[in-house]
Amino acid sequence: MLYKKFDDKIEVYDKSQFNPEHILECGQVFCFDKQEENYVVFPEDKFAKIVEKENCYQILTETPDYFENYFDLKTDYSKIKNSLSSIEILKKPLEFGYGIRILKQNLFETLISFIISANNNIKRIKLILNNLRKAFENENKRKSFPTRAQLLSKDEEFFKQAGCGYRASYLYKVLRQIDEQTLENYQSLDTKSLREKLIELAGVGPKVADCVLLFGFGRGDVFPVDTWIKQMYNQFYQPLENREQIRNNLINQFGVLSGYAQQYLFYYQRSFIKK
DNA sequence: GTGCAGGTCAGCT
DNA sequence: AGCTGACCTGCA
């Protein structure tokens, strides 16, 4: 993809495979806000503001290298979209979310965020995550995502106060089950074994595991099945109740591009309901 | 007041 | 193994 890296920004010239609204609103990430016409995104302890120009999008940031990787700019999405476009069910979703890219997100942040996402709504998920950031805003620069060590110092009541509800005990437990380095080491596992490892963690079931696999570990051969995907599936395929069955059938069809297909389908399906 | 939101878990057959 | 009900809580 065509882009150029500067000291204080990246300019992305190919608007056909980079659209901040598509990328950030397609459900893979919670650490962003829309400010008037622009999007800001704040993963880990980083920050970027995305501004549209006539011939490009500018990613304004102090850490261009970080965001070059974060937005996976080296990957050519025209190839991915091309191989998916022959599938009838994906035609409209691809047209609608043409600028989607799957972000390369921090493993720990992704794990915590998607544990909180379970049986929850996006507004409240963002509220809770902001509460967690706010609790450490004096010791961190800006409002960074807290580290495992920082969260480990808190008790279950802290997470309840932050609005986590019954997920508070999951967080308390999972912080004692795993650290950042162990997560990194999991990269060497194949997708199936890695998924089993993740499901052992508190608050992590099949759906959350698939989200961490896709958005954190960059595994394309998974298909997170949530209420929206299930709704879509039962609309276009032979209706099924069991989510694992739906998942297996979809992975059978989409193979190593399952995760990508999921994002286009999710974004398109949800657009009908969302205001 | 009622119902829902990117599900997971414990307890049952 | 596979199924079922309970579950925090902010917001519409």
Side-chain angles (χ1 to χ4, degrees):
Chain A
M1 189 179 60
L2 198 56
Y3 66 95
K4 191 171 178 189
K5 208 164 39 159
F6 300 85
D7 287 341
D8 57 348
K9 68 183 174 191
I10 304 170
E11 289 189 347
V12 180
Y13 303 107
D14 192 347
K15 291 188 181 180
S16 77
Q17 47 177 314
F18 183 98
N19 181 292
E21 182 175 2
H22 297 175
I23 294 168
L24 297 171
E25 305 273 11
C26 72
Q28 60 179 321
V29 63
F30 305 105
C31 56
F32 72 94
D33 279 315
K34 193 175 183 181
Q35 297 183 347
E36 294 147 19
E37 291 309 296
N38 304 314
Y39 279 94
V40 296
V41 56
F42 38 91
E44 304 183 53
D45 59 346
K46 311 295 193 295
F47 179 86
K49 178 177 180 176
I50 306 170
V51 180
E52 181 168 17
K53 298 290 178 187
E54 200 172 327
N55 66 328
C56 69
Y57 281 104
Q58 291 183 331
I59 304 169
L60 307 174
T61 176
E62 292 174 6
T63 55
D65 289 332
Y66 178 86
F67 284 100
E68 178 184 31
N69 174 66
Y70 184 75
F71 286 110
D72 195 19
L73 296 182
K74 287 176 182 167
T75 296
D76 183 3
Y77 269 69
S78 62
K79 287 179 187 169
I80 295 170
K81 289 188 284 183
N82 215 7
S83 35
L84 289 174
S85 62
S86 58
I87 303 169
E88 187 59 35
I89 197 174
L90 284 176
K91 285 186 176 164
K92 283 183 180 173
L94 280 166
E95 217 170 288
F96 182 74
Y98 61 87
I100 287 177
R101 312 181 67 80
I102 295 185
L103 298 168
K104 292 200 173 301
Q105 301 188 60
N106 176 274
L107 293 177
F108 179 72
E109 182 172 343
T110 306
L111 176 67
I112 299 300
S113 300
F114 278 92
I115 288 174
I116 292 168
S117 80
N119 192 26
N120 210 339
N121 62 69
I122 292 186
K123 202 158 192 178
R124 189 173 153 221
I125 298 164
K126 291 176 80 164
L127 176 72
I128 294 170
L129 291 171
N130 269 321
N131 287 341
L132 295 184
R133 280 192 200 83
K134 214 185 302 174
F136 300 94
E137 66 182 331
N138 292 326
E139 42 184 300
N140 290 337
K141 58 172 179 176
R142 298 193 194 90
K143 280 176 20 178
S144 308
F145 197 85
T147 63
R148 183 239 180 189
Q150 286 177 321
L151 294 174
L152 200 54
S153 71
K154 301 293 188 182
D155 57 9
E156 193 175 320
E157 187 55 31
F158 165 80
F159 295 104
K160 284 190 175 161
Q161 288 301 316
C164 300
Y166 61 78
R167 302 163 199 82
S169 68
Y170 301 159
L171 294 174
Y172 182 84
K173 283 181 200 156
V174 81
L175 288 163
R176 281 150 186 81
Q177 287 178 289
I178 203 152
D179 58 37
E180 288 100 334
Q181 189 56 53
T182 309
L183 280 171
E184 294 294 339
N185 295 344
Y186 280 176
Q187 264 297 8
S188 62
L189 297 173
D190 63 275
T191 301
K192 189 169 181 291
S193 329
L194 176 48
R195 186 169 191 255
E196 286 164 5
K197 285 280 186 193
L198 292 174
I199 289 177
E200 286 175 17
L201 301 174
V204 181
K207 154 67 172 59
V208 171
D210 281 340
C211 286
V212 177
L213 282 162
L214 179 57
F215 307 135
F217 287 95
R219 305 298 172 99
D221 54 340
V222 298
F223 207 115
V225 177
D226 54 54
T227 53
W228 302 101
I229 292 295
K230 187 174 172 183
Q231 183 186 108
M232 178 282 300
Y233 186 93
N234 288 334
Q235 201 172 319
F236 292 102
Y237 298 84
Q238 183 71 30
L240 290 173
E241 260 315 298
N242 185 285
R243 287 191 178 198
E244 283 296 287
Q245 266 182 52
I246 294 176
R247 175 185 192 271
N248 289 336
N249 291 346
L250 290 167
I251 289 178
N252 241 344
Q253 178 173 11
F254 297 110
V256 292
L257 294 180
S258 290
Y260 298 91
Q262 195 269 2
Q263 285 301 94
Y264 295 110
L265 286 166
F266 175 83
Y267 187 53
Y268 183 63
Q269 186 71 12
R270 208 187 50 173
S271 71
F272 293 115
I273 317 294
K274 210 183 161 191
K275 46 182 173 178

